[in-house]
Amino acid sequence: MRDDEITDVAAYMADLGRQARAASRQLTRASTAEKNAALLKIAELLDAGRSQLAEANARDLQAGAAKGLDAALLDRLELTPGRIDAMIEGVLQIAALPDPVGAIFDLNARPSGIQVGRMRVPLGVVGIIYESRPNVTADAAALCLKSGNATMLRGGSEAYASNQAIASCIQRGLVEAGLPAEAVQVVATTDRAAVGAMIAMPESIDVIIPRGGKGLIERISRDARVPVIKHLDGICHVYIDADADPEKAFQVALNAKTQRYGTCNTMETLLVDAAVAETILPKLGAAYSEMGVELRGCPRTCDILAAALPATEEDWDTEYLAPILSIRVVAGLDEAMDHIAAHSSGHTESIVTESYTRARRFLREVDSSSVMVNASTRFADGFEYGLGAEIGISTDKFHARGPVGLEGLTSVKFIVLGDGEIRT
Amino acid sequence: MRDDEITDVAAYMADLGRQARAASRQLTRASTAEKNAALLKIAELLDAGRSQLAEANARDLQAGAAKGLDAALLDRLELTPGRIDAMIEGVLQIAALPDPVGAIFDLNARPSGIQVGRMRVPLGVVGIIYESRPNVTADAAALCLKSGNATMLRGGSEAYASNQAIASCIQRGLVEAGLPAEAVQVVATTDRAAVGAMIAMPESIDVIIPRGGKGLIERISRDARVPVIKHLDGICHVYIDADADPEKAFQVALNAKTQRYGTCNTMETLLVDAAVAETILPKLGAAYSEMGVELRGCPRTCDILAAALPATEEDWDTEYLAPILSIRVVAGLDEAMDHIAAHSSGHTESIVTESYTRARRFLREVDSSSVMVNASTRFADGFEYGLGAEIGISTDKFHARGPVGLEGLTSVKFIVLGDGEIRT
């Protein structure tokens, strides 16, 4: 169905939902070989469909330019040949990952005679709500397919034609591999009511994963009637302990801030133990300044670093996503962990120390999705962690936490193997 | 604070929440020895406080009788000496269970040089909303304490004095063991606004576990602003396959219905393959009738069993919690699984079969929290599964699924151990 043919959005969404739910039962029983065959077909069809993808994308870009979208948005929207390559490569990589579904573990005998274990199973139907990057359509569909989930995808209206063109390759690939086309539903209306419907249909959608700006994610989390896997902010900290190796501290703190400025695992606040602030900060401050990083410090930091401007209270709660860094000198580990508890977004924190006891306390007590010792926060990433690919990073504690790969898209049920046992 | 001294419920609840959050940071770092010492102290104080518990309970029972509560409710409310014994025994058993917190697993080296693993950590603050049984106060607090979580408990108003008396033992036990009293908060107001506040304070409560009637749980799930661990219904099925061993089928189907009628893991619908209905049902039907179980069947069942009344469509969606059973003859495994997909509450289903292939399909494809082969559904229980104790049974797929023990009250974060690695 095309956008202009959909008049009753609620009925249309309910239909898509019913189809997705039915398809998810077929996907649950699909073998690894069937799912991989579909992924390879999809990659093949994306490759064969390059000219159609480029045409559709050109229509989106033209419409976007006519609507006056800014350059950054138009850039995100563009499907260059290189981005199509990366999209195809991503699908092939997911085909090569191990299938998490059906794994049985912890199967133990009980005194009653039954054996009790756990089996990894798909979540069911995953709803993805995303903004302008059309490559998300293929990435998300492939991850969900491999983990045995049906998908309902709602992309940004500015990428409508591109998303539909990608969806057409995906659905043909599914059918050619003997799986239902309805396993990947791409919402074909740009009506915003579709989003409201998606986040409130627990009978058809088991979990929503929003990808996009903080405003979108906050709105969806507030209104959703189903669980949401999300992260809002990445306010990440590096704490340089009194017993830090100065060279490791320099390298980690520099890399965590400057390797890329716009990513969620970039450090936004550096905490330094007062005992080493005067030896650590001057060299580090000079290196930041040389790279054009603006420094905002506590009074003690400003005493040590002439280049630092005074930080305000707001700085400690800000994700700059820019060459700006706040720096605070603290009295020790407890004050550092208090600062983190008060200001972190629960994404990633790292301690630099040679102290076994303080490393152990930091690992245990800091309540973030990734907690590190002597490593750059920039490592918090599904590829770096060996998950193969990620659908997002969760800063929630419930269900999946940290980078979410195939396993995060599954659930675990109990299985019981008996021989006619009854309970007495 | 006492009930009649609390005038601003919102401010009172916000205070409790802040205290619980602060206490949860202390519990996260508490050692296993400290948590166990507190549990043993609590058990000791409950034992020493028997007369105070009995007095408080007598006040609740008297007030309940005066308010005209029915006999079943008054029975649930009563703290007999045997129930106090069981409550103390439960706390001691939880002290003896292994501590899930701090476990590190899947620690693997990555090509970058970092080691990446997972660490099991507390969820934070668990809110429990429950009805008349005061023993839940001790059970829930003990499970949450052992798993490193702070607790906010809101029991039924009819059990107010009993819950406060139990809470006093718990809080004294915590303090005597050097842990904060605020780690277990018992809401001291009977104002219903307290429940509304509890389910909408994500800054202070990480998860809500409602325990009680379906109405309470539905209301809380609908309105909660934080994740909810719950199960609504137990509409459990046993499917007797064409290749079932007749004796196992007889034993399992009889036990699943009649061992106890009022539990959530009791079978409510029996499905029988048409190929064996005439050999299996007569003996089974006679056994049910002898035990006073009312039978409601599909037309085919009614042909075979004279005692069966015709089932209505509603029967397939009803949790009787009573000596009533619906029976349906089906054409085979696929029809049985279609029936289960349409009518099950996702709690527990069991197949009786000697067929390897059908057992394997049933295990994989049935989407319930427990899926069994040749075993009574009555085994779906934390103790029977070896979890030691359970705080409830979850029929959701997100986070915990099935009986929820200590592990279900924890989350898992990523940890990274490096040696100064940076990302390039």
Side-chain angles (χ1 to χ4, degrees):
Chain A
M1 217 183 283
R2 282 183 28 230
D3 194 7
D4 49 12
E5 297 168 358
I6 298 165
T7 50
D8 183 343
V9 172
Y12 167 73
M13 294 300 289
D15 263 355
L16 284 193
R18 266 189 298 273
Q19 292 166 10
R21 176 63 74 207
S24 86
R25 283 190 62 203
Q26 286 180 260
L27 276 195
T28 290
R29 61 173 169 258
S31 68
T32 305
E34 287 171 308
K35 294 185 287 190
N36 286 346
L39 290 167
L40 297 181
K41 266 284 163 219
I42 290 167
E44 207 180 295
L45 290 166
L46 288 169
D47 191 35
R50 283 173 183 272
S51 61
Q52 291 92 315
L53 294 180
E55 267 171 49
N57 190 240
R59 285 205 302 280
D60 283 335
L61 287 169
Q62 209 174 352
K67 273 202 329 202
L69 295 186
D70 68 30
L73 208 63
L74 287 172
D75 174 62
R76 283 208 290 275
L77 187 52
E78 194 176 354
L79 274 180
T80 61
R83 285 180 183 173
I84 296 178
D85 288 346
M87 190 163 73
I88 293 168
E89 186 49 39
V91 173
L92 292 173
Q93 279 174 4
I94 291 165
L97 289 175
D99 185 346
V101 173
I104 294 177
F105 52 96
D106 291 351
L107 189 68
N108 295 307
R110 296 291 308 151
S112 59
I114 59 174
Q115 283 176 289
V116 178
R118 326 280 301 265
M119 183 190 276
R120 197 164 282 288
V121 292
L123 282 172
V125 181
V126 178
I128 319 259
I129 298 170
Y130 54 108
E131 290 178 336
S132 50
R133 292 181 203 275
N135 61 308
V136 172
T137 309
D139 287 358
L143 277 165
C144 290
L145 172 57
K146 183 70 184 243
S147 52
N149 294 290
T151 326
M152 205 155 167
L153 298 158
R154 180 21 160 98
S157 55
E158 64 283 6
Y160 180 83
S162 309
N163 290 336
Q164 292 296 321
I166 295 169
S168 150
C169 297
I170 294 171
Q171 296 188 325
R172 279 185 293 139
L174 286 164
V175 171
E176 288 188 27
L179 293 176
E182 296 75 17
V184 178
Q185 304 276 21
V186 177
V187 176
T189 170
T190 53
D191 191 323
R192 293 179 72 97
V195 173
M198 259 181 91
I199 63 175
M201 45 202 286
E203 67 287 0
S204 297
I205 294 185
D206 295 289
V207 57
I208 291 282
I209 304 179
R211 291 179 54 162
K214 193 175 170 184
L216 172 80
I217 297 173
E218 275 179 340
R219 215 162 49 240
I220 286 171
S221 305
R222 197 184 51 231
D223 299 334
R225 296 276 317 280
V226 293
V228 176
I229 294 178
K230 63 165 189 303
H231 82 95
L232 289 171
D233 274 325
I235 305 181
C236 302
H237 297 75
V238 172
Y239 166 57
I240 300 177
D241 181 61
D243 284 340
D245 174 290
E247 181 56 19
K248 291 179 196 169
F250 178 79
Q251 293 295 345
V252 166
L254 196 65
N255 183 264
K257 182 69 222 179
T258 65
Q259 204 243 341
R260 273 183 74 186
Y261 295 112
T263 52
C264 59
N265 55 17
T266 298
M267 167 179 67
E268 305 293 7
T269 300
L270 174 66
L271 302 169
V272 185
D273 189 299
V276 293
E278 281 177 42
T279 54
I280 293 282
L281 281 180
K283 183 179 166 197
L284 202 46
Y288 286 132
S289 294
E290 199 174 305
M291 300 194 68
V293 177
E294 177 187 328
L295 303 177
R296 302 184 185 175
C298 67
R300 190 71 202 282
T301 302
C302 293
D303 285 348
I304 300 171
L305 296 177
L309 305 167
T312 64
E313 265 310 302
E314 212 191 326
D315 277 302
W316 313 122
D317 296 312
T318 301
E319 182 181 26
Y320 300 115
L321 296 169
I324 307 172
L325 175 69
S326 56
I327 306 178
R328 184 172 201 167
V329 175
V330 293
L333 178 64
D334 283 298
E335 198 175 307
M337 293 200 299
D338 285 345
H339 180 99
I340 289 169
H343 301 287
S344 165
S345 62
H347 191 298
T348 299
E349 333 295 334
S350 184
I351 185 174
V352 185
T353 189
E354 297 300 309
S355 160
Y356 166 81
T357 297
R358 287 197 287 276
R360 195 163 174 253
R361 277 196 63 198
F362 192 87
L363 279 175
R364 169 134 179 187
E365 295 178 32
V366 171
D367 190 23
S368 296
S369 74
S370 288
V371 186
M372 305 182 167
V373 179
N374 293 343
S376 169
T377 56
R378 287 280 296 127
F379 281 114
D381 173 286
F383 286 96
E384 292 294 337
Y385 282 2
L387 307 184
E390 68 178 37
I391 199 145
I393 291 184
S394 165
T395 53
D396 287 325
K397 291 191 235 180
F398 219 65
H399 192 71
R401 192 175 195 194
V404 180
L406 291 174
E407 192 181 300
L409 292 170
T410 63
S411 175
V412 165
K413 68 185 178 193
F414 280 95
I415 59 168
V416 174
L417 306 180
D419 191 33
E421 279 82 2
I422 59 170
R423 189 156 164 198
T424 46
Chain B
M1 218 184 282
R2 280 183 32 227
D3 194 8
D4 49 11
E5 297 168 358
I6 299 165
T7 49
D8 183 344
V9 171
Y12 167 72
M13 294 300 289
D15 263 354
L16 284 193
R18 266 190 298 273
Q19 292 167 10
R21 177 62 75 206
S24 86
R25 282 191 64 204
Q26 286 181 259
L27 276 196
T28 290
R29 60 173 171 257
S31 68
T32 305
E34 286 171 310
K35 293 186 286 190
N36 286 346
L39 289 167
L40 298 182
K41 265 284 164 221
I42 290 166
E44 206 180 295
L45 290 166
L46 287 170
D47 191 35
R50 281 171 184 274
S51 62
Q52 290 93 314
L53 294 180
E55 263 171 51
N57 190 241
R59 285 205 301 282
D60 283 335
L61 287 169
Q62 207 174 355
K67 273 203 330 204
L69 296 187
D70 68 29
L73 208 63
L74 288 172
D75 174 61
R76 283 208 291 276
L77 187 52
E78 194 176 354
L79 274 179
T80 61
R83 285 179 182 173
I84 295 177
D85 288 346
M87 190 163 72
I88 294 168
E89 186 49 39
V91 173
L92 292 173
Q93 279 174 4
I94 291 165
L97 290 175
D99 185 346
V101 173
I104 294 177
F105 51 98
D106 291 351
L107 189 68
N108 295 305
R110 298 289 307 150
S112 59
I114 60 174
Q115 282 176 290
V116 178
R118 325 280 300 266
M119 184 191 276
R120 197 163 283 288
V121 292
L123 282 171
V125 181
V126 178
I128 320 258
I129 298 170
Y130 55 107
E131 291 180 331
S132 49
R133 292 182 205 273
N135 60 308
V136 172
T137 309
D139 286 358
L143 276 165
C144 290
L145 172 56
K146 183 70 184 244
S147 52
N149 294 290
T151 326
M152 206 155 163
L153 297 158
R154 176 31 156 96
S157 57
E158 64 283 5
Y160 181 82
S162 310
N163 289 337
Q164 292 296 322
I166 295 169
S168 150
C169 296
I170 295 171
Q171 296 189 324
R172 279 186 292 139
L174 286 164
V175 171
E176 288 188 26
L179 293 175
E182 296 76 16
V184 178
Q185 304 276 21
V186 177
V187 175
T189 170
T190 54
D191 192 323
R192 293 178 73 97
V195 172
M198 259 181 90
I199 64 176
M201 45 202 288
E203 66 288 0
S204 298
I205 293 185
D206 295 289
V207 56
I208 291 282
I209 305 179
R211 291 180 53 163
K214 193 174 170 183
L216 173 80
I217 296 173
E218 276 179 338
R219 214 161 50 240
I220 286 171
S221 306
R222 196 183 52 232
D223 298 333
R225 296 277 318 282
V226 293
V228 176
I229 293 179
K230 63 167 189 301
H231 83 95
L232 289 171
D233 273 325
I235 304 182
C236 302
H237 297 75
V238 172
Y239 166 56
I240 300 177
D241 182 60
D243 285 340
D245 174 291
E247 182 57 20
K248 290 180 195 169
F250 178 80
Q251 293 296 345
V252 166
L254 196 65
N255 183 262
K257 183 68 221 180
T258 65
Q259 203 242 341
R260 272 182 75 184
Y261 295 112
T263 51
C264 59
N265 55 17
T266 298
M267 167 179 67
E268 306 292 8
T269 300
L270 175 67
L271 303 169
V272 185
D273 189 300
V276 292
E278 281 177 42
T279 54
I280 292 281
L281 280 180
K283 184 179 165 196
L284 203 46
Y288 286 132
S289 295
E290 199 174 305
M291 298 194 69
V293 176
E294 178 187 327
L295 304 176
R296 302 183 185 176
C298 68
R300 189 71 202 282
T301 302
C302 293
D303 285 348
I304 301 170
L305 296 178
L309 305 168
T312 63
E313 266 309 302
E314 212 191 326
D315 277 303
W316 312 123
D317 296 312
T318 301
E319 182 182 25
Y320 301 115
L321 297 170
I324 307 173
L325 175 70
S326 57
I327 305 179
R328 184 172 200 167
V329 175
V330 294
L333 177 65
D334 283 297
E335 200 175 305
M337 293 200 299
D338 285 346
H339 180 99
I340 289 168
H343 302 287
S344 164
S345 62
H347 191 298
T348 299
E349 331 296 333
S350 183
I351 185 174
V352 185
T353 189
E354 297 299 308
S355 160
Y356 166 82
T357 299
R358 286 198 286 276
R360 194 161 174 256
R361 279 197 61 200
F362 192 87
L363 278 175
R364 170 135 179 187
E365 295 178 31
V366 171
D367 190 22
S368 297
S369 73
S370 287
V371 186
M372 305 182 167
V373 180
N374 294 343
S376 169
T377 56
R378 288 279 298 126
F379 281 114
D381 172 285
F383 286 96
E384 292 293 336
Y385 282 3
L387 307 185
E390 68 179 37
I391 199 147
I393 292 184
S394 165
T395 53
D396 288 325
K397 289 191 236 181
F398 219 66
H399 191 73
R401 192 175 195 193
V404 180
L406 291 174
E407 192 181 299
L409 292 170
T410 63
S411 176
V412 165
K413 68 185 178 192
F414 281 95
I415 59 167
V416 174
L417 306 181
D419 191 34
E421 279 81 3
I422 59 170
R423 190 155 164 198
T424 48

